Amino acid sequence: MEYEIKTTKRTLHFKQPAGTSRGIYTTRQSWFIEMKRADMPDKVGIGECAPLPNLSCDDIPEYEAVLEEQCRIVVETGRIDLSHLQHYPSMLFGLETAFRDLVTDHHALFDTPFASGDEGIPINGLVWMGSKEEMSRRIEDKLSDGFTCVKLKIGAIDFSEEIGLLKGIRERFGKDYVELRVDANGAFLPSDAMRKLDALAALDIHSIEQPIKNGQWEEMSLLCRESPVSIALDEELIGIFGEERKKEMLDKICPDYIILKPSLHGGMAGCEEWVRLARERNIGSWMTSALESNVGLNAVAHLAAHIYGPDIRMPQGLGTGQLFTDNIDMPVRLQGSWMWFDKCC
């Protein structure tokens, strides 16, 4: 089957700086794939390749050249080589998305109740790092919008101020009304992490993502055994290839949850494998975007609906579609604390 692939680089601009403990994003680089097939000349499949700077395992100086080479191989062979592309997860995710988009209608990548417009996906409200005043205002905005699951990025300002922000929410809303998640992005030191986890536990925090930097398996395993707050792994999954290595990590650390981003964690195929292995170990999971445009966000949403099945109740991290001033139109939309897909007839 004869394929044609075109790639285009594009810079997206954040409406407001997006702060994490690793730094602040003001722009986002993405490469968009447009795929055509000879027997379907009027159909175009679109995918997005969006590595995160200083985080993705395929954030490499020669990214564009490698992507062009991978696209050339796909054109020549007519298929995706998962064994090779697993080392370039953002490229794999973009190609997987384009392939599925090419053979489905209206960007509905999987046949699910979400894709038919019959069911929405619950999402968490994301509060970026900033000053205490900025974060407080953003929290109020999320609560006013009706979010009952709020996730705060922590680790950039004084920890006592972050505790104060969380305490302010808990004084107004109990855990049965508002679920609180926090994401430290590895900001805690192993020597100080348990003290901070104890402080968070007093506020009925649902879970904390990546409290310490990835790669410290012994320290993370100890925290998972002793922490009074459920621990979710995110960055820890980056660069872990192959089923046996994934099993080794999950069995060693034994987290409560894993957080999956297809652009970081092996594309669609890699995320499905992660979820299967986690379920075999009674480890929970949910899916989030990795600051892609609406092209990537649409793909993540459809993948989540496919993997977790109908009637999803665990809030997913998909509330990033309104981050950019120059986003790309897709049929996904937010309505309160839910994401919906507007199926075209």
Side-chain angles (χ1 to χ4, degrees), residues 79-88 92 96 266-270:
R79 65 183 184 87
I80 294 174
D81 183 354
L82 290 175
S83 63
H84 181 65
L85 270 169
Q86 66 179 344
H87 296 276
Y88 305 102
L92 173 58
E96 288 173 316
M268 293 182 180

Side-chain angles (χ1 to χ4, degrees), residues 75-178:
V75 168
E76 287 185 355
T77 63
R79 65 183 184 87
I80 294 174
D81 183 354
L82 290 175
S83 63
H84 181 65
L85 270 169
Q86 66 179 344
H87 296 276
Y88 305 102
S90 66
M91 300 182 199
L92 173 58
F93 183 45
L95 285 164
E96 288 173 316
T97 302
F99 260 107
R100 295 204 67 86
D101 196 42
L102 187 61
V103 297
T104 54
D105 294 326
H106 310 298
H107 311 296
L109 304 185
F110 294 91
D111 183 13
T112 65
F114 173 72
S116 65
D118 295 325
E119 290 186 2
I121 298 176
I123 64 173
N124 62 247
L126 178 59
V127 176
W128 292 99
M129 288 180 177
S131 67
K132 181 179 179 181
E133 293 73 22
E134 288 171 334
M135 293 182 72
S136 180
R137 184 178 68 252
R138 293 167 188 168
I139 291 168
E140 288 296 331
D141 289 344
K142 295 302 179 185
L143 296 175
S144 297
D145 288 341
F147 284 91
T148 56
C149 178
V150 178
K151 171 182 165 181
L152 279 75
K153 293 279 189 177
I154 64 173
I157 63 175
D158 184 78
F159 183 68
S160 63
E161 292 188 352
E162 292 170 338
I163 288 293
L165 290 168
L166 294 164
K167 186 176 181 180
I169 300 175
R170 272 290 168 257
E171 288 173 346
R172 296 166 56 195
F173 305 103
K175 65 178 181 179
D176 294 331
Y177 189 80
V178 173

Side-chain angles (χ1 to χ4, degrees), residues 9 29 33 51 58 75 115 119 143 145-146 151 176 194 197 220 223 235 253-254 299 301:
K9 184 179 180 181
Q29 298 287 345
I33 291 173
D58 56 358
V75 168
E119 290 186 2
L143 296 175
D145 288 341
K151 171 182 165 181
D176 294 331
M194 192 58 70
L197 291 170
M220 188 69 84
L223 287 179
E235 288 92 336
I253 298 179
C254 299

Side-chain angles (χ1 to χ4, degrees), residues 281-302:
R281 291 158 175 76
N282 294 315
I283 295 170
S285 67
W286 65 86
M287 199 161 292
T288 80
S289 67
L291 305 183
E292 298 96 347
S293 77
N294 280 338
V295 173
L297 179 62
N298 177 73
V300 177
H302 283 283

Side-chain angles (χ1 to χ4, degrees), residues 186-323:
F188 297 172
L189 296 174
S191 59
D192 198 33
M194 192 58 70
R195 176 186 68 84
K196 293 182 176 180
L197 291 170
D198 286 336
L200 291 168
L203 298 172
D204 293 316
I205 301 301
H206 171 270
S207 56
I208 179 169
E209 293 181 38
Q210 204 68 42
I212 63 174
K213 289 187 183 301
N214 56 303
Q216 304 176 88
W217 287 15
E218 292 290 342
E219 294 85 348
M220 188 69 84
S221 176
L222 178 62
L223 287 179
C224 287
R225 289 199 304 272
E226 299 187 356
S227 172
V229 177
S230 294
I231 290 178
L233 302 184
D234 180 353
E235 288 92 336
E236 202 71 64
L237 280 58
I238 297 172
I240 304 294
F241 306 121
E243 183 171 330
E244 293 308 311
R245 184 64 169 164
K246 291 176 181 179
K247 289 179 179 178
E248 180 185 1
M249 190 274 285
L250 292 174
D251 290 338
K252 174 66 178 179
I253 298 179
C254 299
D256 297 289
Y257 300 99
I258 56 174
I259 315 297
L260 295 160
K261 298 179 174 71
S263 288
L264 297 178
H265 302 137
M268 293 182 180
C271 286
E272 291 199 73
E273 182 173 69
W274 275 116
V275 171
R276 175 177 60 81
L277 295 174
R279 284 172 172 165
E280 290 171 358
R281 291 158 175 76
N282 294 315
I283 295 170
S285 67
W286 65 86
M287 199 161 292
T288 80
S289 67
L291 305 183
E292 298 96 347
S293 77
N294 280 338
V295 173
L297 179 62
N298 177 73
V300 177
H302 283 283
L303 179 62
H306 167 67
I307 286 179
Y308 298 118
D311 197 30
I312 297 175
R313 284 291 166 259
M314 174 76 80
Q316 308 292 303
L318 304 176
T320 57
Q322 299 172 322
L323 289 177

